[in-house]
Amino acid sequence: MANQDYTWASLWRRLTPLYDEGEAKAVVRMVLEERLGMTTADIYTDGIAQLTSEARDELESIMLRLGSGEPVQYVLGYAEFLGRRFAVGRGVLIPRPETEELCQWIIRDTDGGDGGDILDIGTGSGCIAVTLAADVAEAAVTAWDLSDAALICCEANARRLGVMVDAVRQDALTPPDDTDRWDIIVSNPPYIAESERSAMHRNVTEHEPPEALFVSDDDPVLYYRAICQYAIKALKPDGALYFEINPRFAAEVAAEAREAGFQDVIMCDDCYGKTRMMKAKNRAR
């Protein structure tokens, strides 16, 4: 192991080329607490200097991974989502706080009722599907993804958190010909335009699966159009479609929903004031 100065300040400063000071401190503190079992007092006094040689070796390995831009969630193997820990790893999108708000919207809308048949399109880690299976009464949840890594991760998270989710390999762009099958369809599809890639952090662009993030600038609402066209038939009468969206393309997504035949299209801002979510009610038949 290289000779390193192991202090609180020296550790988080190693990450400032990638993160601002607050983020760098949060990442290092998470590692020290979760992987090395350190307390707040340990971190801010001389506990780091007292680490064993083995612990220092482990910490140095982690710091090298973090310094290369690897997300801390991949290093630790989990991400927090609405009070639960979801296993994540390479090939699986890391859950975001904005997606928590999307789940909370659905949970509020179904409070006191039967959740019925719910479909999560593009499930990734299963954070949406598992959360709804756990928090929506009488919900029967199915999760689609094209990635085998994502489906394995979703199934593992469902088992570990004690819920039932039917994980199915399915391409959202070529869905089955379903009619009146679902009460709720929810999706957080790829929605970041390729032209936005250069402005994003390395820890995202170099490590998270690009197929779960990016779409062509030529057709940034490709997935929304396909899902709307599927959902207008596949939802039961008065069923609801929920999306997480890119604020840049909010108007275009709403237009796709209306063009497909949806009524009562509602846009919702996230906690940062950005138009991040949409709900559309199916027409009664």
Side-chain angles (χ1 to χ4, degrees):
M1 179 188 73
N3 186 25
Q4 292 286 349
D5 175 23
Y6 281 93
T7 65
W8 165 239
S10 71
L11 289 171
W12 65 257
R13 283 176 179 146
R14 288 173 65 177
L15 301 184
T16 52
L18 293 170
Y19 302 100
D20 63 33
E21 181 177 326
E23 289 177 304
K25 288 179 176 179
V27 167
V28 173
R29 179 169 176 169
M30 187 183 305
V31 167
L32 294 173
E33 290 177 341
E34 296 294 330
R35 186 58 65 86
L36 299 178
M38 299 185 73
T39 65
T40 301
D42 292 333
I43 293 170
Y44 293 120
T45 57
D46 64 347
I48 296 172
Q50 302 303 315
L51 290 172
T52 65
S53 176
E54 292 79 7
R56 285 193 177 209
D57 285 344
E58 181 179 7
L59 179 57
E60 180 60 19
S61 175
I62 291 171
M63 292 302 299
L64 289 173
R65 290 173 68 183
L66 294 172
S68 74
E70 186 173 353
V72 66
Q73 294 89 344
Y74 287 170
V75 173
L76 295 178
Y78 74 86
E80 296 282 351
F81 189 84
L82 282 180
R84 297 181 176 92
R85 286 191 174 181
F86 284 79
V88 293
R90 288 184 176 275
V92 177
L93 190 69
I94 296 168
R96 264 57 174 192
E98 298 92 328
T99 312
E100 291 182 322
E101 295 185 61
L102 179 64
C103 284
Q104 290 170 323
W105 190 5
I106 298 170
I107 292 166
R108 286 194 303 271
D109 282 355
T110 56
D111 184 35
D114 184 340
D117 295 302
I118 299 176
L119 173 63
D120 173 26
I121 299 179
T123 194
S125 66
C127 60
I128 294 176
V130 171
T131 297
L132 297 181
D135 293 343
V136 175
E138 302 300 322
V141 181
T142 298
W144 286 357
D145 210 294
L146 194 56
S147 162
D148 291 334
L151 293 172
I152 291 168
C153 188
C154 174
E155 290 175 329
N157 280 318
R159 284 194 303 270
R160 190 173 56 81
L161 292 168
V163 300
M164 293 292 296
V165 172
D166 184 18
V168 178
R169 193 175 193 275
Q170 176 63 57
D171 186 349
L173 298 180
T174 56
D177 187 18
D178 292 327
T179 302
D180 294 350
R181 183 175 177 185
W182 312 103
D183 294 283
I184 291 171
I185 295 176
V186 55
S187 184
N188 175 22
Y191 61 61
I192 302 170
E194 281 288 349
S195 59
E196 298 177 274
R197 186 192 290 254
S198 61
M200 298 175 67
H201 286 296
R202 293 174 42 198
N203 61 330
V204 176
T205 59
E206 296 180 8
H207 294 275
E208 295 195 63
E211 65 273 11
L213 290 165
F214 298 107
V215 288
S216 168
D217 290 274
D218 294 334
D219 192 2
V221 296
L222 169 68
Y223 285 93
Y224 296 99
R225 180 182 308 111
I227 294 169
C228 284
Q229 290 172 355
Y230 169 73
I232 197 66
K233 296 187 300 180
L235 279 168
K236 298 173 186 177
D238 297 320
L241 171 64
Y242 295 83
F243 280 136
E244 183 173 324
I245 61 177
N246 185 334
R248 279 185 62 192
F249 306 118
E252 290 91 332
V253 175
E256 292 292 347
R258 293 189 179 100
E259 178 67 21
F262 281 95
Q263 301 172 348
D264 303 323
V265 176
I266 303 168
M267 314 304 284
C268 184
D269 291 350
D270 64 16
C271 63
Y272 305 107
K274 295 182 178 180
T275 304
R276 183 73 65 179
M277 294 163 281
M278 190 197 84
K279 174 185 177 183
K281 289 285 289 184
N282 197 10
R283 59 177 182 259
R285 291 193 288 273

